Amino acid sequence: SQQGEEDPQALSIQEGENATMNCSYKTSINNLQWYRQNSGRGLVHLILIRSNEREKHSGRLRVTLDTSKKSSSLLITASRAADTASYFCATASPIQGAQKLVFGQGTRLTINP
Amino acid sequence: EPEVTQTPSHQVTQMGQEVILRCVPISNHLYFYWYRQILGQKVEFLVSFYNNEISEKSEIFDDQFSVERPDGSNFTLKIRSTKLEDSAMYFCASSGLGPMSNQPQHFGDGTRLSIL
């Protein structure tokens, strides 16, 4: 089964607007993490939200988690051209120790100047 | 800020040859991981490693793959006899030790492996 499916697959907005990306998953999780990937580069960790948390903020980022709906959203406020990248959600299963992250396909975000 | 470093950034290898991808995780981290991303596809988990042994591996991680932590700083992924379908970006990641493992994984910039 698919885990961590993002929606939309691609999003193009004007600089200054807010961008919202959604992620759905199927199994129980310990936490959910959002990552950014610039073209051809590695994954940059943005924010981790635990299964007992509902909302988390970091700068211009706001993440929500609804475990009853098995979904999460990432909001980027006041977008900038430098926010252009692919964004991935990744779920970590409820085990101690090493976490296996299961990634979605990602949302390709384009910020137009 | 400490970071995960991977070498080489790009590796071109003939099919059937052995390849070793190298990673230096963040120094005080205890959990190490390899993931791969085939072009245009999602990032896939390969293997996790803790306390000098494999914690979990995916079905992708067959007998052709092995991992090693030869010293206190390096973490390597070896592919014994490469196939065309091994062409991908390979990412190393590491994470620290925390309650219920709620620690982010920090990724390197990846090694692009091209099998000819």
Side-chain angles (χ1 to χ4, degrees), chain A residues 68-88:
Chain A
S68 66
K69 295 180 180 176
K70 292 187 167 57
S71 67
S72 173
S73 67
L74 170 67
L75 168 68
I76 304 175
T77 60
S79 62
R80 304 168 183 168
D83 294 329
T84 294
S86 290
Y87 291 81
F88 297 88

Side-chain angles (χ1 to χ4, degrees), chain B residues 52-90:
Chain B
N52 281 321
E53 59 182 28
I54 290 174
S55 300
E56 187 176 357
K57 58 184 181 180
S58 71
E59 58 190 29
I60 302 168
F61 195 89
D62 62 22
D63 291 345
Q64 294 300 311
F65 290 85
S66 63
V67 289
E68 196 178 31
R69 187 152 164 82
D71 52 43
S73 59
N74 290 286
F75 180 51
T76 61
L77 174 69
K78 183 195 293 187
I79 309 175
R80 245 179 294 282
S81 178
T82 50
K83 307 191 252 314
L84 292 176
E85 53 264 36
D86 293 328
S87 294
M89 183 77 95
Y90 287 80

Side-chain angles (χ1 to χ4, degrees), chain A residues 7-29:
Chain A
D7 154 54
Q9 290 188 347
L11 180 62
S12 180
I13 60 173
Q14 293 300 119
E15 195 167 21
E17 293 180 340
N18 296 342
T20 300
M21 290 158 272
N22 303 297
C23 167
S24 60
Y25 58 93
K26 292 190 186 303
T27 64
S28 296
I29 62 170

Side-chain angles (χ1 to χ4, degrees), chain A residues 50-66:
Chain A
R50 299 173 186 176
S51 59
N52 61 353
E53 296 177 312
R54 293 296 166 257
E55 189 170 309
K56 207 159 181 183
H57 296 254
S58 176
R60 293 184 296 112
L61 306 180
R62 174 178 159 245
V63 167
T64 62
L65 179 65
D66 186 335

Side-chain angles (χ1 to χ4, degrees), chain B residues 93-113:
Chain B
S94 69
S95 64
L97 181 65
M100 289 302 291
S101 302
N102 280 315
Q103 297 289 322
Q105 291 183 24
H106 296 270
F107 284 74
D109 275 346
T111 292
R112 181 171 299 284
L113 178 62

Side-chain angles (χ1 to χ4, degrees), chain A residues 2 5 30-31 33 35 37 40-43 45 48 50 88 95-101 103-105, chain B residues 31 33 35 37 40-43 45 48 55-56 89 91 100-109 112:
Chain A
Q2 299 289 341
E5 295 299 316
N30 188 34
N31 64 68
Q33 304 181 34
Y35 288 84
Q37 184 181 37
R41 299 298 303 277
L43 295 151
H45 182 263
L48 180 154
R50 299 173 186 176
F88 297 88
I95 56 171
Q96 294 233 8
Q99 301 169 297
K100 177 178 90 173
L101 289 181
F103 285 83
Q105 287 274 26
Chain B
Y31 297 99
Y33 311 84
Y35 293 82
Q37 185 180 32
Q41 297 187 24
K42 59 176 73 175
V43 176
F45 169 80
S48 58
S55 300
E56 187 176 357
M89 183 77 95
F91 293 106
M100 289 302 291
S101 302
N102 280 315
Q103 297 289 322
Q105 291 183 24
H106 296 270
F107 284 74
D109 275 346
R112 181 171 299 284

